[in-house]
Amino acid sequence: MKKKAFASRSVFFQLMSAIIVITILTGGLVGTTGYLLAKHVLIDAGKADLKHIVSGAMATLEQLNDRVEKKELTLEQAQEQARLYLSGPKNDNGKGYQSQKSDFIYKNKGYLIAYGTDYSTQVHPVNDIGVIPDNTTNRQKMVAGANAKGEDAHYVTYMDKDDATGEEKEKLAYMSQFTPWNWSVGIAVFQDEFYKELEQMKLYIILITAGVALLSLGVFYLAARGKVRLLKQVTAASKEIAAGNIERTNLKETTDEIGQLAKGFNHMSGELRTLVSGLQETSSQLVESATDLSAISEETSASSEEIGRAIGDISTGTLHQASDLEVANQQMTQFNQSIENVKEQSDHIKRISDQSSQSSQQGQQIVQQLKQSNEQSIQASQGIRAGIEQLSTKVQDISQITDTIESISNETNLLALNASIEAARAGEHGKGFSVVASEVRNLAEQTKQSAVQIQQMIQGIKEETTATAGIMSSTMDRFAELDEAVHATEHEFNAISTLISQTIVETNAMAKELNTLLEQNDLITKAMHGAAHVSQENAAAIEEITASTDEQVTAISNVAKAAERLNELSMRLNQDIARYRL
């Protein structure tokens, strides 16, 4: 049952049915047209014959009327002879006339008639002379036609009963007026008598049409069997590709449209196989790049957190140093107030100076660590930037590949459109080609939509990469500023160390030079104020560094998120491509 239904839907069956229908319609149309034209010609010829017969009858009546005018015959004698001439000799029983023996007869069926102005019978092979029937409708039409002015108006049609079959049929009469006797003379015949011979011709037309249809069917079967087989192979290959099994096809290529379709399908399957293979390789590379970028982002994030903690420690030490300097300043004030305790204050200042020296040395060590951490951060940032630039280059490569996919899809769509146009030109013969072209166009549209989705994903990656590159550029600028601040802090720490060393020297000499203590006290006070100011500036600079580090951590976190998203997109691309088998 399914095979019968499939056969009725196949292109071969439909084309064969179309050939039969077209042949029958063509034969029927030609035969019917010829039949109608022949019928029209025969009717025109019959009408001309009727007119000719009536003209002959009118000539006979003219001769008889001349004899009446010459007094050779009376009017009654002339009219009786006219009936014998027109209707034939009388029957043996004296009733009616033998119209078959008349010279004025059409195909043994049409006979001459004549009616008076009162619609009475004057000439008729059967009806009694001088009789007026109860229904004179037909005779009124014929008398009116005889007196009409236009030539076509002399032809009168009416319904009459066929005595042989008892059927009412259409009858045609040509009427003319014989004025001397006031007779409406004409000849009437059933219209089917004009084209009776055509019935045999109709049978010949039917037989010839059937023969031509069978011959056309056989020729088409022999000619189209190979083409239909090729179409089935193209359909099977299309289903395999739609199922994800992309194999290079080797369909038979010829110079006709179906052969060119097979050639295009062979080329398309090869290009599609190459394209999917390239996409699979590119997708694998994209996954590897995304994984590397994610790992680099995590390492950079961890380094940035360590830098933040180190800077926090520096900030705490700087604040403590500022506090110590403030205490030293207060002690110097007390020293001014308590000159009697100079020795004790001198020892105290020495201890404080020693502590400050140690703190200064620790600060210098922390600054060195900060410089090393900052340099490592700069190197890591440069590595991230290089990774992002490499990612951008790979994204550009993928974008070019997707452009190639879209170009191939457009070319395939154009090829399918051309095939649809050729199929439309072929009419009924091209319906199968149109189905194949539609399937190819749908496949091209799906490929194009996948390419557009990939392009959109790539565009998102490019935007995220561009944003990350901008953030990294800003981070590099912040690191440069941090490096300058670290160098400035180192310089200030060196200055503090120098001042503390000078303070120790002055404190050691204070015991020997108490007289100069008051003079140097002002200098020491100013130096302590400068140190406190420097410590405050260092604290502010370190706060700025901390803020920059936080921004860097945020930026690197965004890079990590972008890398994760890139990884997800790569996995999705792999899943989309995995359904195709090469």
Side-chain angles (χ1 to χ4, degrees):
M1 190 66 182
K2 290 184 177 179
K3 290 184 177 180
K4 291 183 178 179
F6 176 76
S8 64
R9 293 194 299 268
S10 65
V11 176
F12 186 68
F13 178 81
Q14 294 176 1
L15 290 177
M16 291 184 66
S17 301
I19 290 294
I20 296 174
V21 172
I22 292 172
T23 304
I24 294 175
L25 289 177
T26 303
L29 181 61
V30 173
T32 303
T33 304
Y35 176 80
L36 294 176
L37 290 175
K39 179 179 178 181
H40 181 70
V41 170
L42 290 175
I43 290 175
D44 290 342
K47 292 168 71 174
D49 290 341
L50 295 183
K51 180 180 179 181
H52 179 71
I53 293 171
V54 172
S55 297
M58 295 296 287
T60 300
L61 294 177
E62 289 288 346
Q63 292 177 359
L64 291 173
N65 186 57
D66 289 342
R67 296 181 67 184
V68 172
E69 291 179 352
K70 293 176 180 179
K71 307 297 184 180
E72 294 178 2
L73 295 173
T74 63
L75 180 60
E76 289 76 9
Q77 291 174 343
Q79 290 177 347
E80 185 60 31
Q81 287 188 10
R83 295 186 182 97
L84 295 174
Y85 288 147
L86 301 180
S87 299
K90 287 189 175 182
N91 293 321
D92 295 337
N93 57 6
K95 294 183 178 179
Y97 297 87
Q98 300 177 20
S99 59
Q100 289 79 9
K101 297 181 179 181
S102 173
D103 295 332
F104 304 96
I105 191 171
Y106 181 79
K107 293 184 179 181
N108 296 325
K109 293 291 184 179
Y111 49 86
L112 281 171
I113 54 176
Y115 301 112
T117 55
D118 58 352
Y119 310 119
S120 60
T121 304
Q122 299 298 325
V123 177
H124 200 284
V126 178
N127 295 340
D128 295 334
I129 305 302
V131 176
I132 301 174
D134 296 334
N135 186 2
T136 60
T137 302
N138 293 337
R139 295 189 179 189
Q140 290 177 14
K141 291 181 180 180
M142 288 187 280
V143 171
N147 292 286
K149 294 181 178 181
E151 182 63 27
D152 293 337
H154 288 275
Y155 291 97
V156 180
T157 57
Y158 60 94
M159 300 301 295
D160 195 9
K161 186 176 182 181
D162 189 353
D163 294 335
T165 61
E167 179 185 1
E168 276 203 359
K169 296 188 295 183
E170 194 174 51
K171 212 169 191 180
L172 177 66
Y174 179 81
M175 302 301 298
S176 182
Q177 183 68 24
F178 187 64
T179 307
W181 294 356
N182 289 326
W183 279 9
S184 297
V185 182
I187 184 170
V189 65
F190 288 106
Q191 286 199 27
D192 57 2
E193 291 294 328
F194 295 141
Y195 49 86
K196 193 172 184 180
E197 293 82 0
L198 287 178
E199 295 300 324
Q200 189 174 6
M201 179 181 175
K202 185 190 297 183
L203 179 61
Y204 290 155
I205 291 173
I206 294 174
L207 294 176
I208 291 172
T209 302
V212 171
L214 292 176
L215 180 62
S216 301
L217 185 62
V219 171
F220 174 77
Y221 176 79
L222 295 176
R225 181 174 54 183
K227 305 299 179 184
V228 172
R229 187 183 300 111
L230 181 58
L231 283 177
K232 290 181 178 179
Q233 294 174 358
V234 172
T235 302
S238 300
K239 290 181 178 179
E240 288 293 325
I241 292 176
N245 187 16
I246 303 177
E247 295 182 354
R248 188 182 299 276
T249 58
N250 189 19
L251 302 176
K252 184 178 179 182
E253 300 178 1
T254 57
T255 57
D256 56 15
E257 289 82 358
I258 299 178
Q260 291 301 311
L261 175 63
K263 181 178 180 181
F265 198 88
N266 291 334
H267 181 69
M268 184 195 70
S269 62
E271 291 295 331
L272 188 59
R273 182 181 176 87
T274 302
L275 174 63
V276 174
S277 177
L279 279 177
Q280 289 177 348
E281 294 178 0
T282 303
S283 178
S284 299
Q285 295 176 1
L286 184 61
V287 171
E288 292 176 0
S289 299
T291 303
D292 293 340
L293 179 60
S294 180
I296 292 171
S297 299
E298 291 177 356
E299 293 176 359
T300 305
S301 179
S303 299
S304 299
E305 290 177 357
E306 291 178 358
I307 292 171
R309 287 194 295 270
I311 292 174
D313 294 338
I314 293 172
S315 178
T316 303
T318 303
L319 292 174
H320 289 168
Q321 183 184 7
S323 178
D324 292 341
L325 288 173
E326 183 65 26
V327 171
N329 189 27
Q330 292 176 0
Q331 289 175 354
M332 288 299 295
T333 304
Q334 292 175 1
F335 173 75
N336 288 330
Q337 295 175 358
S338 304
I339 193 64
E340 292 82 7
N341 299 322
V342 170
K343 182 61 178 177
E344 184 179 355
Q345 293 295 331
S346 177
D347 295 338
H348 184 64
I349 290 171
K350 185 177 180 181
R351 289 194 299 272
I352 293 174
S353 297
D354 292 337
Q355 293 176 358
S356 297
S357 178
Q358 293 176 1
S359 298
S360 177
Q361 291 176 0
Q362 292 177 358
Q364 288 178 344
Q365 292 176 1
I366 293 172
V367 168
Q368 289 296 329
Q369 293 177 359
L370 178 61
K371 286 177 62 178
Q372 293 177 1
S373 298
N374 188 43
E375 289 175 357
Q376 292 176 357
S377 298
I378 291 174
Q379 292 177 359
S381 299
Q382 290 176 349
I384 292 172
R385 171 179 279 180
I388 290 173
E389 290 176 354
Q390 184 179 6
L391 175 62
S392 179
T393 302
K394 292 183 179 180
V395 169
Q396 291 293 335
D397 295 338
I398 296 172
S399 179
Q400 292 177 0
I401 293 172
T402 54
D403 290 340
T404 303
I405 296 172
E406 188 173 0
S407 177
I408 293 173
S409 176
N410 291 332
E411 291 177 1
T412 305
N413 198 0
L414 181 60
L415 178 62
L417 179 60
N418 291 334
S420 298
I421 293 173
E422 292 299 328
R425 289 179 180 175
E428 293 291 332
H429 302 280
K431 285 184 176 180
F433 307 156
S434 178
V435 173
V436 177
S438 177
E439 291 296 329
V440 174
R441 187 163 58 253
N442 290 335
L443 180 59
E445 287 295 331
Q446 292 175 1
T447 304
K448 184 175 182 182
Q449 290 176 3
S450 297
V452 170
Q453 291 177 357
I454 295 172
Q455 189 67 29
Q456 291 175 353
M457 295 175 185
I458 292 172
Q459 184 62 32
I461 295 171
K462 289 173 67 179
E463 292 175 358
E464 291 291 338
T465 304
T466 302
T468 303
I471 294 172
M472 287 305 302
S473 178
S474 177
T475 302
M476 292 294 293
D477 294 337
R478 296 294 185 183
F479 275 119
E481 294 176 0
L482 176 61
D483 188 64
E484 293 177 0
V486 169
H487 282 291
T489 303
E490 184 180 14
H491 177 71
E492 294 297 333
F493 271 112
N494 290 332
I496 292 171
S497 180
T498 302
L499 291 174
I500 292 173
S501 297
Q502 292 176 358
T503 303
I504 294 172
V505 172
E506 294 295 333
T507 304
N508 291 330
M510 188 180 297
K512 297 179 180 180
E513 299 180 358
L514 290 174
N515 294 328
T516 59
L517 182 59
L518 292 174
E519 297 176 356
Q520 297 296 327
N521 183 56
D522 292 335
L523 296 174
I524 295 172
T525 303
K526 292 179 180 179
M528 294 303 293
H529 280 295
H533 180 67
V534 170
S535 296
Q536 292 176 356
E537 290 180 351
N538 289 341
I542 291 173
E543 288 179 357
E544 293 179 357
I545 294 171
T546 303
S548 299
T549 305
D550 292 338
E551 292 180 357
Q552 180 186 2
V553 171
T554 303
I556 293 173
S557 177
N558 292 332
V559 173
K561 291 180 180 178
E564 291 178 358
R565 184 178 179 186
L566 178 60
N567 196 8
E568 291 177 358
L569 294 176
S570 301
M571 296 300 294
R572 187 185 303 172
L573 179 60
N574 273 339
Q575 292 175 357
D576 292 337
I577 297 175
R579 64 184 297 265
Y580 293 101
R581 299 182 300 277
L582 300 180

